[in-house]
Amino acid sequence: MLLSLAIRDFVIVDTLELDFTAGFTVLTGETGAGKSIIIDALSLLLGGRGDGSLVRAGCERAELSARFDLARLPALADWLAEQALADEGGELLVRRMLDASGRSRCFLNGRAATLAQLKTAGEWLVDIHGQHAHQSLVKPDTQRELLDAYAQSGELVASVAERHRVWQDARQARLDAEQHAAAYALERERLTWQINEVNELNPQPGEWDTLGQQHQRLANAAELQDEARHALNALSDDEGNLISAVAQLQGRLTRFAGVDTRLAPVAALLDSVDAELREALYALRDYVEDIEQNPEELAQVEKRIDALHACARKFRLRPEDLPQRLADWRQQLAELDNVADLDGLLANEAEALSALREAAEVLSARRRRAASELAERISAEMHTLAMAGSRFDIVLTPLATPSAHGAESVEYQVAANAGSPLRPLAKVASGGELSRISLALQVVTSAVAAVPTLIFDEVDVGIGGRVAEVVGKLLQRLGEQYQVLCITHLPQVAARGDVQWQVSKSGEGEAGAVISRIRPLSSKERVEEIARMLGGEQITATTRRHAREMLAG
């Protein structure tokens, strides 16, 4: 439930703080006084679009905040906790600041939030019925969406839409395969030839580098062997070889370390050098024994290198890239086989269509039950709105193939008088009748909604007299279950409010700027306001008496 609303420098409001109660609250005032300010502010607070024009002239920014009780909204409380936006007090504080350049900042419970998070929270908090709702009621999309909302079939609708997308993708893949069959065949032939050519060589990852190293070793085997033998001689075979020289030095220094201990570390280092030289000696002996001149192996390596070179030149590649390119071609061929497999694509398409029909049938069953119930309830409400004998129906016409919205079209039909045939709503309903039907629909659908706060923005346009009185009773009845706010110009509706606020404007701002004011009315002030709504500027004792009677009734 909405507990409070604070507005600063918004449109024609300088500062405004309102506390709300449960039940049915009405807002009245002269035309152009700014009665829709509250709705505009709440719409912006709960994720609506905003721009710099909403900032009061001459001000840097507009600031809006609202406080909500979450006692009836456990799902929203859980969502806030998941988003790390919860508050221990069981309330939600929503804030939004909009500067003159159009930039805005959003907050939930004092924490920075995104516009998407504001919109998500708003879907739980407030349901706004605009004064022009009846104008869209004749549109097929609106009719279908209202039925689905009443049926609470949002998840089913989303499932059908997703399966329809999958089926369309499968269908398009099959059509593409049929259309490009010749091109696919040529591409398959080219890939197959390239793969076969390279497959004969079977190049392996890293092979080119390995071949280069082998070729270097085999081509220089004699020189490598000579150098290794020369090193062996220097280490151990020649007179005055390194190992002997180091051993003699190490022995002498070890003896003199007894005279001066500072020579001991040097002797130890030479001992380590001696060990390293002997390790090098053993390694060189193994190397000399292992390396040999092998012209046949060298010829084989050169032949392999030439073959890889020739193959790479044919496809304008580097030899080292052949293994990866072969793998790429194999993958492309596999993908091409998939997109060109008509039998497989037809099977996928049929499977996707079957899944779509299955989901659509579940949605259709939900719609049929909801359509029957909703039509009956709207007909009953229409009878109370001076449309006795009228009849409302929702016709579901099966489609040959399910669409993204289901397996049927949805059409609202009405018989305005007893005995008249049902005809499409757009063809038989006048503006006044549409307004009443829209109100009946809003009252019925709101009664099953989980949203605790319902706002009606002059939905009573185009009606009057006894019908207006009935509308007031309907909204008052709705206020027994929900928090209802209604902007109205009808005294019959205003008189049914549990609380009445008056909206006015004046030139009391800076430099005579127009300022909008909203204040609650006392019992006596309500009589004057209802009398004004009844009689205009000239309020007489008769209109006051009539106003008191309406408020008492």
Side-chain angles (χ1 to χ4, degrees), residues 55 116 197 267 328 343 382 407 507:
V55 178
E197 285 285 311
D328 292 343
D343 291 338
M382 287 167 58

Side-chain angles (χ1 to χ4, degrees), residues 306-462:
D306 291 342
L308 291 173
H309 254 306
C311 183
R313 281 197 304 270
K314 182 182 295 186
F315 298 107
R316 297 182 180 179
L317 299 172
R318 295 185 306 171
E320 57 265 40
D321 293 336
L322 282 172
Q324 183 58 51
R325 186 57 61 90
L326 177 60
D328 292 343
W329 288 338
R330 286 170 175 165
Q331 181 178 350
Q332 291 171 21
L333 183 60
E335 292 173 354
L336 187 60
D337 286 341
N338 287 334
V339 299
D341 179 13
L342 278 177
D343 291 338
L345 293 171
L346 284 168
N348 289 341
E349 182 183 357
E351 183 179 352
L353 180 57
S354 176
L356 169 61
R357 291 187 186 279
E358 181 180 341
E361 179 51 39
V362 176
L363 175 60
S364 296
R366 178 79 65 88
R367 281 175 173 169
R368 286 191 292 269
R369 291 192 297 270
S372 176
E373 179 182 326
L374 181 58
E376 183 177 345
R377 296 185 64 179
I378 292 175
S379 294
E381 294 293 351
M382 287 167 58
H383 295 164
T384 67
L385 293 171
M387 296 183 72
S390 61
R391 184 160 54 99
F392 185 90
D393 196 14
I394 301 176
V395 178
L396 305 179
T397 304
L399 302 175
T401 303
S403 72
H405 305 298
E408 59 279 310
S409 62
V410 178
E411 183 179 64
Y412 291 2
Q413 295 187 354
V414 64
N417 303 293
S420 299
L422 287 165
R423 295 183 61 195
L425 184 63
K427 295 183 178 180
V428 297
S430 65
E433 288 171 334
L434 266 179
S435 181
R436 280 178 277 172
I437 294 171
S438 175
L439 180 60
L441 182 62
Q442 291 167 18
V443 169
V444 170
T445 54
S446 295
V448 297
V451 179
T453 300
L454 309 175
I455 300 179
F456 294 88
D457 182 12
E458 295 193 18
V459 294
D460 48 17
V461 171

Side-chain angles (χ1 to χ4, degrees), residues 283-316:
L284 282 170
R285 285 174 177 170
D286 290 340
Y287 180 79
V288 169
E289 291 177 1
D290 179 66
I291 194 168
E292 61 178 336
Q293 299 181 48
N294 191 336
E296 292 182 0
E297 184 180 358
L298 177 60
Q300 290 176 355
V301 168
E302 290 178 340
K303 182 179 179 181
R304 179 66 174 173
I305 288 175
D306 291 342
L308 291 173
H309 254 306
C311 183
R313 281 197 304 270
K314 182 182 295 186
F315 298 107
R316 297 182 180 179

Side-chain angles (χ1 to χ4, degrees), residues 247-263:
Q248 290 175 8
L249 285 172
Q250 194 272 342
R252 291 171 64 86
L253 288 175
T254 299
R255 287 195 302 273
F256 281 99
V259 178
D260 188 347
T261 57
R262 288 179 298 175
L263 291 174

Side-chain angles (χ1 to χ4, degrees), residues 42-216:
L42 284 172
S43 295
L44 187 66
L45 263 175
L46 300 177
R49 289 186 177 181
D51 56 54
S53 66
L54 297 175
V55 178
R56 191 164 70 94
C59 299
E60 293 182 1
R61 64 175 178 269
E63 298 182 19
L64 306 97
S65 64
R67 194 162 51 90
F68 295 88
D69 180 9
L70 303 184
R72 294 174 55 181
L73 296 168
L76 175 55
D78 292 342
W79 179 82
L80 289 169
E82 293 173 2
Q83 303 292 314
L85 297 168
D87 182 80
E88 295 181 358
E91 295 183 355
L92 172 61
L93 177 63
V94 183
R95 291 181 59 224
R96 188 170 181 185
M97 294 186 292
L98 179 68
D99 64 29
S101 66
R103 293 177 299 180
S104 69
R105 297 171 62 194
C106 311
F107 302 88
L108 290 173
N109 282 329
R111 300 176 181 88
T114 65
L115 198 59
Q117 288 174 320
L118 240 62
K119 289 181 179 179
T120 300
E123 291 174 358
W124 270 297
L125 293 167
V126 176
D127 192 2
I128 299 176
H129 300 274
Q131 59 178 304
H132 302 298
H134 65 279
Q135 296 176 0
S136 63
L137 190 58
V138 298
K139 299 178 181 178
D141 287 348
T142 301
Q143 295 180 3
R144 183 191 67 251
E145 290 166 4
L146 285 171
L147 173 61
D148 287 336
Y150 180 81
Q152 297 181 340
S153 56
E155 291 185 2
L156 293 177
V157 171
S159 175
V160 168
E162 173 60 20
R163 295 192 183 192
H164 184 270
R165 184 195 62 78
V166 172
W167 170 60
Q168 285 293 325
D169 289 347
R171 179 174 178 273
Q172 189 60 50
R174 188 260 304 167
L175 291 174
D176 288 344
E178 291 177 345
Q179 181 179 357
H180 302 106
Y184 287 163
L186 287 175
E187 179 66 7
R188 192 180 191 285
E189 183 178 346
R190 183 184 69 83
L191 286 170
T192 301
W193 171 75
Q194 292 176 162
I195 290 170
N196 289 339
E197 285 285 311
V198 181
N199 258 340
E200 292 183 5
L201 286 176
N202 191 26
Q204 299 299 311
E207 181 186 7
W208 182 253
D209 291 338
T210 301
L211 286 171
Q213 294 170 7
Q214 286 180 310
H215 185 268
Q216 284 285 95

